[in-house]
Amino acid sequence: MATHNSLIGSSAVTRELLEHLERVAATDAPVLVRGATGVGKELVAREIHRLSGREASGDFIAVNCSAIPNELLESELFGHEKGAFSGAVSSYQGRMRLADGGSLLLDEIGDMPADLQAKLLRVVQEGVVTPVGSGKEISVDVRIISATHKPLESLIETGQFREDLFFRLNVIPITVAPLRERPEEIIELFDHFRVVYALQGEAIKLNARSISLLQAYHWPGNVRELENFCRRLSALYPGETVNLYTLPPDFLPPKMVKLMGADSHGGSEVDMLGESNLHAVLFANASDDGDEDGLARVLGITAAESPASEQLAHESLKDRVSDFERQLIEKALADANSNISEAARLLGVKRTTLIEKMGRLNIARR
């Protein structure tokens, strides 16, 4: 779903999220965005800022509460006066004032020190900040958006997070689903990233079996892991059609390598020509706007080789799956000069599997 400066995703989960963001953006109420690492919480916050109309009056400012040392975080947030502490050779506005009129993202809010939580509570309640070394309160108009991957309720129970601050920040709760809960977006996102990281304008492609592997892998690092993986492949194999099963294990996530090992022994869920995976890749939104074009681009199938959209509109889900299976097989047979063993190799499946599929789809052996 998350990509650089925009949200991408056609799954029902993402469409519902985008609709929710449109509803809440117009208010000034604080928002708490939750989700695992790498799902795109900051991009959700940026989308809220964009939809709110605050772009015209102020900036979107982000601060990672876990990345700044505790002794500097107060100054970074609220600013300081010249001479307020050793090294303060000039005054500094702080992120709160820099975001005046706009939106402030407090990322990893669960890592904020307890003493700063009390000061943040006052900002949220009263709309004023007090720079370090100053007794003067300064009014700010800031939309506070917080984000965390931690269970704040558990931190409250252990005394690590203030309950009153939690209530103030959690006025509008938003949860971003992990990528494993929206697998139909994997190819959509991969298609985007492969273009973003294409070298000399030529994007990588994947063979059919590799696409199925992307679907079967659970992506514990979510969209960030998928993006970095696509960037690696684009740098190492620019413009090539990549077969993940032939790459050195060091180039692949360890759990993906394990999944590939299970596949080689016939015990994996990976089978590009299986209907369940094609359903997940292509047709999870069969009645809506699926990403058939995205998959075709990743596979390197041209528009002339793709089924006509008018025909697809009238076919059942099962027929569409069969059509795409037939398309893949016929293309592989053509590329292999009708050599079944070579076509099976190109598809990344066993020869017996290919023969069985050809029989089921009434594809003649030439």
Side-chain angles (χ1 to χ4, degrees), residues 180 213-214 216-221 225 229 232 245 249-263 268-270:
R180 66 178 178 273
L213 181 62
L214 291 188
Y217 182 57
H218 286 177
W219 299 103
E225 182 184 9
F229 183 61
R232 179 189 306 156
Y245 284 81
D250 288 348
F251 292 173
L252 304 169
K255 291 183 179 179
M256 183 180 287
V257 175
K258 184 177 180 182
L259 192 62
M260 294 166 68
D263 182 33
S268 172
E269 59 191 286
V270 182

Side-chain angles (χ1 to χ4, degrees), residues 117-313:
Q117 291 178 29
K119 295 180 179 180
L120 176 61
L121 179 62
R122 177 161 175 75
V123 175
V124 178
Q125 287 178 326
E126 307 296 336
V128 295
V129 297
T130 303
V132 177
S134 171
K136 180 182 177 182
E137 292 184 340
I138 301 174
S139 297
V140 289
D141 172 22
V142 179
R143 174 78 176 270
I144 301 292
I145 306 172
S146 305
T148 183
H149 72 282
K150 293 185 174 181
L152 295 184
E153 292 86 350
S154 297
L155 297 182
I156 291 172
E157 292 179 1
T158 59
Q160 296 173 269
F161 201 84
R162 294 179 63 111
E163 186 175 40
D164 50 0
L165 178 60
F166 172 76
F167 291 142
R168 288 286 184 176
L169 298 179
N170 194 41
V171 176
I172 300 177
I174 292 176
T175 300
V176 185
L179 190 54
R180 66 178 178 273
E181 293 183 9
R182 39 193 169 95
E184 60 268 40
E185 293 183 4
I186 292 174
I187 299 305
E188 190 175 359
L189 289 164
F190 188 90
D191 183 41
H192 171 81
F193 291 132
R194 74 187 188 92
V195 174
V196 169
Y197 294 115
L199 299 179
Q200 287 110 28
E202 193 170 2
I204 61 170
K205 304 178 184 68
L206 296 179
N207 72 342
R209 194 182 186 197
S210 296
I211 287 180
S212 188
L213 181 62
L214 291 188
Q215 290 294 124
Y217 182 57
H218 286 177
W219 299 103
N222 293 291
V223 180
R224 184 180 299 153
E225 182 184 9
L226 177 62
E227 177 181 1
N228 290 334
F229 183 61
C230 184
R231 187 175 188 178
R232 179 189 306 156
L233 296 181
S234 299
L236 294 171
Y237 307 100
E240 297 183 27
T241 297
V242 180
N243 182 352
L244 298 180
Y245 284 81
T246 64
L247 301 188
D250 288 348
F251 292 173
L252 304 169
K255 291 183 179 179
M256 183 180 287
V257 175
K258 184 177 180 182
L259 192 62
M260 294 166 68
D263 182 33
S264 66
H265 292 89
S268 172
E269 59 191 286
V270 182
D271 177 7
M272 177 58 200
L273 298 178
E275 291 186 5
S276 60
N277 271 333
L278 275 175
H279 175 273
V281 176
L282 275 173
F283 308 120
N285 299 308
S287 61
D288 300 305
D289 296 325
D291 193 32
E292 295 95 339
D293 292 341
L295 179 58
R297 287 192 297 269
V298 175
L299 283 167
I301 297 173
T302 65
E305 296 168 323
S306 299
S309 58
E310 292 83 5
Q311 178 184 357
L312 283 175

Side-chain angles (χ1 to χ4, degrees), residues 16-32:
E16 183 179 350
L17 172 64
L18 291 172
E19 291 171 1
H20 186 48
L21 296 185
E22 290 179 356
R23 287 195 298 270
V24 306
T27 76
D28 290 329
V31 177
L32 178 60

